[in-house]
Amino acid sequence: RVNDAFSGRRILVTGGSLGIGLEVSRALARRGASVIVAARGRAAIDAALAELDGDGHSGLQLDVSAPEAWAAAIESIDAGGSLHGLVTAAGVLGPIGPLDEVSPREFIDTVAINLVGTMLALHHCLPRLQTSGGRAVTFSGGGATAPLVRYDAYAASKAGVVRLTENV
């Protein structure tokens, strides 16, 4: 371990099995946190958990964009004890291309995962974080800071995450 700065802390990482989310999960585990790795696929969750240093980690199969899935997720999280942190790293890039050529369904799904998924995580976790004195971290990405040609859904949704985070 690098240090025990997060010892005794339980932290939920959405999108915690891949990319930035997996790196965050690894870093938190090295610092003593008990990480709850949330992702859509069980195999990806299990692979991520196998890579984490320390003990007390758990997996949570969850589609962050599905409001109805959050009730069971929160029940599972609460059963494990207090929640001290939230990192909303779940996100997708696609569809990529000219707006008049991309699938409207894929555009909507990207906004649902990136923006609505962040909102749902905050909605359900903030009361628990307020109780424990914990904190939330959201990710916006490069699409939120400047135009990102052909990544319309990603850029629009991540700009929305910035405004949501500022408002919260």
Side-chain angles (χ1 to χ4, degrees):
R1 284 205 176 123
V2 172
N3 61 50
D4 289 331
F6 291 98
S7 182
R9 304 287 186 179
R10 287 181 70 234
I11 301 173
L12 171 63
V13 181
T14 67
S17 68
L18 293 171
I20 293 170
L22 178 56
E23 289 303 317
V24 169
S25 295
R26 288 176 182 146
L28 290 168
R30 280 193 307 272
R31 288 166 176 80
S34 295
V35 180
I36 306 164
V37 175
R40 288 183 284 186
R42 187 77 240 173
I45 292 168
D46 292 341
L49 290 172
E51 294 187 35
L52 301 185
D53 292 340
D55 300 316
H57 311 300
S58 59
L60 179 63
Q61 197 164 355
L62 174 65
D63 176 350
V64 296
S65 69
E68 66 281 357
W70 276 95
I74 287 299
E75 187 175 308
S76 174
I77 291 166
D78 287 347
S82 295
L83 183 66
H84 304 97
L86 167 67
V87 178
T88 61
V92 294
L93 283 172
I96 302 164
L99 186 60
D100 60 332
E101 295 178 14
V102 301
S103 160
R105 178 78 261 157
E106 288 180 47
F107 188 102
I108 291 166
D109 290 346
T110 297
V111 172
I113 291 166
N114 294 353
L115 178 56
V116 177
T118 298
M119 181 279 297
L120 289 168
L122 290 167
H123 172 80
H124 289 282
C125 294
L126 283 177
R128 287 148 181 87
L129 297 175
Q130 289 168 344
T131 298
S132 70
R135 300 289 184 261
V137 174
T138 61
F139 283 102
S140 63
T145 59
L148 195 58
V149 178
R150 307 277 190 247
Y151 290 80
D152 302 329
Y154 176 77
S157 64
K158 291 301 188 168
V161 168
V162 171
R163 294 294 85 79
L164 174 66
T165 302
E166 290 171 340
N167 287 340
V168 169

